[in-house]
Amino acid sequence: MKLLSTLSTVLISFSLSAQSAGSGDQKYYDIINAVSADRIQKDIEKLVSFGTRHTLSDTVSQTTGIGAARRWIKSEFNKISKDCKGCLEVSYLRNIVKGDPKTRIQKDAEIVSVMAVKKGTKYPNRYIIMSGDIDSRVSDPLNSTSESPGANDNASGMAGTIEAARVLSKYDFESSIIFVGLAGEEQGLYGGKYMAEVAKEKGWEIIGVLNNDMIGNIEGVNGVIDNRSFRIFSEPTPVTETEQERGRRRFYGGEVDGISRQLARYVHKMTSKYMPEMNPKMIYRLDRFGRGGHHRPFNDAGFAGIRIMETNENYNRQHQDIREENGIKYGDVISGVNFDYAAKLTAVNAINLAGLAWAPPAPTKVEIAGVVAPSTSLKWETVEDDNLAGYRIYWRDTTEPQWQYSRFVGKVNEFLLEGIVIDNYLFGVAAVAKDGTESQVVFPSGVYRRE
């Protein structure tokens, strides 16, 4: 009878845990289901209708050029805010770039990005950012007048950002989320550079930047048609690290464990869990070979940032004058966008924004010990948070791209992993909320000697 009673208690406990996990998971499935391919299509069509969104195009017209485009984007953010009773703070982010004949900004130009902020209820100065680009271009990067639809590059990313704002405006989050249309990308990443400067000046605590640049093409120039995979580009370690930090890594490891790489792993994990039909592909590179995107200025400022985009690009549809030559159609027109696929990648962004914004703050000052020892220990600084269930330690083989093993250790600030030899693995620590939501994993930044 005692055995049956114990078994019943275990089953009840398991059942309650399962129910709790299910209720926690359901909100992510609700977010995924709320993303609308039809709304994304309408937004892309609207952005294409402005004719050109070149950074140096018309700013006065109500129907043509980048001025009309950014005003429309701002009006959409305002509509979303009105629907959620003012839950978004909508504004322009403006700066002047001085002209230089040697650059793609040959005369002084005002670069205007559009930002919508959903303030966190507990940590308003902690931000997770989703960005798309407003501008477009044709073959000549200085041509500001020719028709430049920019349907996939990057009306798809901009429409995805607006749609994510619509969906996530229905929820409250502990940390803040910024939805932003960045300008000046094709001319030199100017919108992102200025926003990163503002973030530094104002002391924003940026959890990470999800840069969406081309999320709507499924027909690659290589002949592959694929609507089930996408790429996550991330640099291995911060470019802002010191010579001392680089020197330590030679002995302690961590060549692929910088903050942007951990953000990429987080996106991979969340997508694999909640959207198993998708195949996230982590690319160990800042961006495409020799190329760049709007996450780079944030990386340059020391913030975590990644690029999310389609797996198979079609170069005939990028940065091209609209034309047909030898039976090949060139130009970034709307027929080249798959709206269902753009919706999938928008959902990828939305669940990751939500997860990071719901999660307790990640541990800080993570340190590791275990040199010439049979076990490994880690310690970290904790944050007082009534939503915090505790911490989870992760480890993996040194050659593995993803975290393989983990152990929930509760509300402690130090833990000994008995029998786990430090030489054979890489380690990290994440904060865990009461509903199971986790922060990004934090890789150790120092070592200590266990007493």
Side-chain angles (χ1 to χ4, degrees):
M1 289 296 292
K2 186 176 181 180
L3 176 61
L4 288 174
S5 176
T6 303
L7 181 59
S8 298
T9 301
V10 170
L11 288 174
I12 291 170
S13 175
F14 176 80
S15 176
L16 291 173
S17 298
Q19 288 174 17
S20 176
S23 62
D25 290 345
Q26 186 58 47
K27 58 191 178 184
Y28 295 106
Y29 296 119
D30 291 341
I31 288 170
I32 293 166
N33 292 332
V35 174
S36 168
D38 290 339
R39 287 196 298 262
I40 289 173
Q41 177 176 350
K42 289 176 182 177
D43 289 346
I44 293 175
E45 289 172 346
K46 182 64 178 181
L47 288 163
V48 166
S49 75
F50 294 111
T52 179
R53 303 186 307 280
H54 190 279
T55 300
L56 305 179
S57 61
D58 193 314
T59 61
V60 178
S61 171
Q62 297 301 311
T63 58
T64 303
I66 195 165
R70 68 191 179 219
R71 286 189 291 274
W72 175 78
I73 292 168
K74 187 171 185 286
S75 72
E76 286 302 300
F77 281 145
N78 281 328
K79 287 178 185 176
I80 297 168
S81 186
K82 183 178 180 181
D83 288 343
C84 63
K85 298 181 180 179
C87 74
L88 300 181
E89 298 175 4
V90 182
S91 63
Y92 288 126
L93 202 58
R94 300 174 178 269
N95 72 305
I96 300 293
V97 175
K98 292 293 184 181
D100 183 344
K102 297 178 183 178
T103 70
R104 293 180 179 182
I105 302 286
Q106 298 194 333
K107 60 181 181 180
D108 292 1
E110 186 179 36
I111 307 298
V112 184
S113 299
V114 189
M115 188 167 65
V117 183
K118 182 163 180 58
K119 281 290 187 178
T121 58
K122 191 179 292 185
Y123 306 105
N125 198 50
R126 296 180 72 239
Y127 298 91
I128 178 70
I129 301 171
M130 179 180 180
S131 69
D133 301 318
I134 301 174
D135 55 317
S136 64
R137 58 162 281 199
V138 289
S139 300
D140 179 0
L142 299 180
N143 182 344
S144 63
T145 57
S146 291
E147 184 180 1
S148 178
N152 188 47
D153 185 15
N154 186 27
S156 64
M158 187 67 251
T161 302
I162 295 170
E163 177 64 6
R166 289 192 189 102
V167 172
L168 297 184
S169 66
K170 311 300 183 186
Y171 298 85
D172 288 326
F173 301 95
E174 294 193 351
S175 296
S176 299
I177 301 177
I178 298 179
F179 308 93
V180 62
L182 294 171
E185 191 264 351
E186 300 290 4
Q187 306 310 110
L189 310 176
Y190 288 105
K193 288 177 182 176
Y194 183 64
M195 188 174 180
E197 289 175 10
V198 170
K200 278 285 189 182
E201 291 171 4
K202 294 189 175 182
W204 292 356
E205 182 186 347
I206 295 182
I207 304 169
V209 178
L210 309 183
N211 170 41
N212 287 258
D213 195 345
M214 294 187 287
I215 62 169
N217 180 71
I218 65 170
E219 300 176 13
V221 72
N222 55 359
V224 174
I225 298 176
D226 174 15
N227 68 349
R228 293 282 178 155
S229 71
F230 66 96
R231 293 177 290 181
I232 311 168
F233 288 93
S234 63
E235 66 177 2
T237 54
V239 295
T240 54
E241 68 180 1
T242 64
E243 286 294 333
Q244 184 182 33
E245 288 169 331
R246 274 192 286 274
R248 284 203 301 263
R249 193 169 62 244
R250 183 179 183 189
F251 297 95
Y252 304 144
E255 297 85 353
V256 294
D257 279 280
I259 54 177
S260 294
R261 189 59 50 78
Q262 302 302 348
L263 180 61
R265 289 193 177 102
Y266 187 95
V267 173
H268 187 285
K269 177 183 175 181
M270 288 286 286
T271 305
S272 299
K273 180 176 182 179
Y274 294 107
M275 300 178 67
E277 74 279 10
M278 298 301 290
N279 176 27
K281 302 170 72 70
M282 285 182 59
I283 308 296
Y284 279 22
R285 186 180 286 134
L286 172 66
D287 209 307
R288 285 86 38 86
F289 193 85
R291 303 170 76 182
H294 242 146
H295 56 302
R296 178 185 166 186
F298 295 94
N299 291 162
D300 290 344
F303 298 121
I306 61 176
R307 177 175 185 156
I308 294 173
M309 71 174 300
E310 63 212 26
T311 299
N312 299 286
E313 296 179 67
N314 193 323
Y315 308 122
N316 298 334
R317 298 171 180 171
Q318 295 177 18
H319 302 172
Q320 295 283 351
D321 294 333
I322 299 174
R323 67 194 190 280
E324 183 171 342
E325 294 179 358
N326 301 319
I328 299 174
K329 292 182 178 180
Y330 295 87
D332 189 359
V333 296
I334 203 160
S335 60
V337 179
N338 184 289
F339 307 111
D340 289 330
Y341 180 70
K344 289 178 182 178
L345 295 198
T346 298
V348 165
N349 279 268
I351 60 172
N352 281 282
L353 292 169
L356 288 166
W358 270 322
T364 58
K365 296 183 180 179
V366 177
E367 296 183 339
I368 191 166
V371 177
V372 197
S375 304
T376 300
S377 63
L378 294 102
K379 70 177 182 179
W380 55 90
E381 289 192 0
T382 63
V383 175
E384 287 297 322
D385 187 316
D386 56 12
N387 185 39
L388 178 70
Y391 295 90
R392 183 177 296 277
I393 295 176
Y394 284 89
W395 66 99
R396 69 181 199 273
D397 294 335
T398 61
T399 55
E400 284 297 314
Q402 306 297 339
W403 297 108
Q404 297 167 284
Y405 319 108
S406 71
R407 180 169 177 177
F408 179 73
V409 298
K411 277 190 176 182
V412 298
N413 63 358
E414 186 174 9
F415 194 83
L416 178 69
L417 291 169
E418 296 277 5
I420 306 296
V421 178
I422 195 172
D423 297 328
N424 298 336
Y425 304 97
L426 295 170
F427 300 83
V429 184
V432 184
K434 290 177 180 177
D435 69 351
T437 299
E438 295 189 15
S439 73
Q440 69 275 39
V441 175
V442 178
F443 192 78
S445 59
V447 297
Y448 72 103
R449 184 175 295 278
R450 185 175 172 85
E451 297 298 332

